[in-house]
Amino acid sequence: MFTDSHCHLSFPELREQLPAILDAMAQSRVERALCICTTLEEFDTVHALATAHPQLWATVGVHPDNEDVREPTLEDLLAGAARPRVVGIGETGLDYYRLNGRSVAEMAWQRDRFRVHIRAARQTDLPLVIHTRSASDDTLAILREEGGFSGEGNAARGVFHCFTETSAVARAALDLGFYISFSGILTFRNAVDLRDTARLVPLDRLLIETDSPYLAPVPHRGKVNTPAWVPHVAQQVADIHGVSLEAVAEASSANFLRLFNRVAPAQAVH
Ligand SMILES: [Zn+2]
Ligand SMILES: [Zn+2]
């Protein structure tokens, strides 16, 4: 049985075909999927998916790329996290890929937003779902500052999702106790370096995801992605690590349940 640790079923192109997607998940033995929140405006929709369907779970957070949306306060995130079936904080992090002419210094609002998410995660002891793109140095620096790794209270924990950074960044994330999640990008022909990085990530620290509707894995590249295709990512991980598909399915699902420990496995089986 497989787990899709990151998808966006609340997005219209997927929400409109939800019954077919849930059927396809069952056919592909994908027993659960985590529906990721990207704005507070969207949260009720994400949350409703998780309360209506036993195989779906939810997070609360505001994506670093989203501007002109409600800025989340600590209280907003804590209130969302208190709702049933909310099992993580995010997605959050830093994205300097589209600066649109701005300097990194002008992106302080992203860094402030990330800090608020880390504080919410520590207060609730929920895992962070971290998005980082062209910003890994700052992402790691802020995590080290805010994460409470040597201080009092809960230390931050979580996953670096849709990982596309270098092996050095993967090692740094692993050293902080974080998990690494790979998407369909791992199956792309030109992702040679990323496959080398995936080889370095121990099987007990690795998650798989679709990030659907984006990033459909080979052989479906370019189509609208759904959680039913996460086994293609698992197969790629199995090939890289030289283990069976079943071993990757088991390990990545067990890792997911260990990290997102508010997910009740018995409830999640459809
Ligand atoms: Zn992301
Ligand atoms: Zn996402």
Side-chain angles (χ1 to χ4, degrees):
M1 294 294 222
F2 300 90
T3 300
D4 182 356
S5 70
H6 190 115
C7 64
H8 297 282
L9 294 184
S10 54
F11 290 8
E13 60 268 53
L14 295 181
R15 203 171 72 218
E16 284 159 11
Q17 42 166 325
L18 189 66
I21 289 171
L22 295 177
D23 279 353
M25 283 171 63
Q27 295 277 329
S28 307
R29 298 190 304 127
V30 179
E31 68 175 327
R32 70 179 73 82
L34 182 55
C35 299
I36 304 292
C37 182
T38 62
T39 64
L40 291 179
E41 289 84 347
E42 174 198 34
F43 176 62
D44 281 342
T45 306
V46 176
H47 184 247
L49 285 166
T51 52
H53 304 284
Q55 64 276 63
L56 303 181
W57 301 84
T59 65
V60 60
V62 180
H63 192 293
D65 279 345
N66 287 329
E67 302 181 47
D68 305 318
V69 296
R70 227 176 95 203
E71 191 60 36
T73 64
L74 180 60
E75 291 68 33
D76 289 328
L77 297 174
L78 295 179
R83 307 256 291 261
R85 300 185 70 81
V86 175
V87 300
I89 304 289
E91 58 182 300
T92 180
L94 301 176
D95 194 328
Y96 298 160
Y97 185 71
R98 286 188 197 84
L99 290 174
N100 293 323
R102 291 168 292 191
S103 68
V104 165
E106 288 172 283
M107 304 304 278
W109 58 274
Q110 266 194 5
R111 294 184 286 275
D112 292 343
R113 184 187 284 178
F114 183 31
R115 289 179 196 276
V116 171
H117 283 79
I118 297 171
R119 286 167 200 161
R122 291 187 59 199
Q123 281 203 27
T124 55
D125 194 25
L126 286 178
L128 284 162
V129 177
I130 292 185
H131 170 111
T132 183
R133 191 170 186 201
S134 307
S136 55
D137 285 353
D138 280 4
T139 300
L140 288 164
I142 290 174
L143 255 189
R144 289 194 184 100
E145 278 174 38
E146 295 279 349
F149 299 109
S150 54
E152 292 184 357
N154 300 315
R157 58 198 187 90
V159 56
F160 278 58
H161 108 91
C162 194
F163 197 82
T164 54
E165 303 295 326
T166 62
S167 296
V169 175
R171 269 199 206 92
L174 291 167
D175 285 347
L176 291 175
F178 277 67
Y179 289 70
I180 307 282
S181 179
F182 292 99
S183 69
I185 292 175
L186 198 62
T187 69
F188 294 177
R189 247 183 86 123
N190 58 357
V192 179
D193 292 345
L194 190 61
R195 284 189 283 275
D196 286 342
T197 299
R199 197 169 290 119
L200 300 173
V201 177
L203 275 180
D204 64 356
R205 300 287 289 283
L206 187 151
L207 300 181
I208 53 174
E209 67 173 82
T210 58
D211 207 8
S212 46
Y214 313 117
L215 301 172
V218 172
H220 304 293
R221 192 170 178 181
K223 296 187 189 150
V224 174
N225 198 4
T226 85
W229 288 341
V230 81
H232 294 291
V233 181
Q235 183 64 61
Q236 185 68 66
V237 172
D239 294 347
I240 289 168
H241 276 264
V243 298
S244 69
L245 180 63
E246 269 327 294
V248 174
E250 265 177 45
S252 56
S253 289
N255 297 341
F256 178 86
L257 293 173
R258 196 181 318 117
L259 179 61
F260 292 94
N261 54 345
R262 234 192 235 179
V263 173
Q267 271 182 293
V269 178
H270 194 53

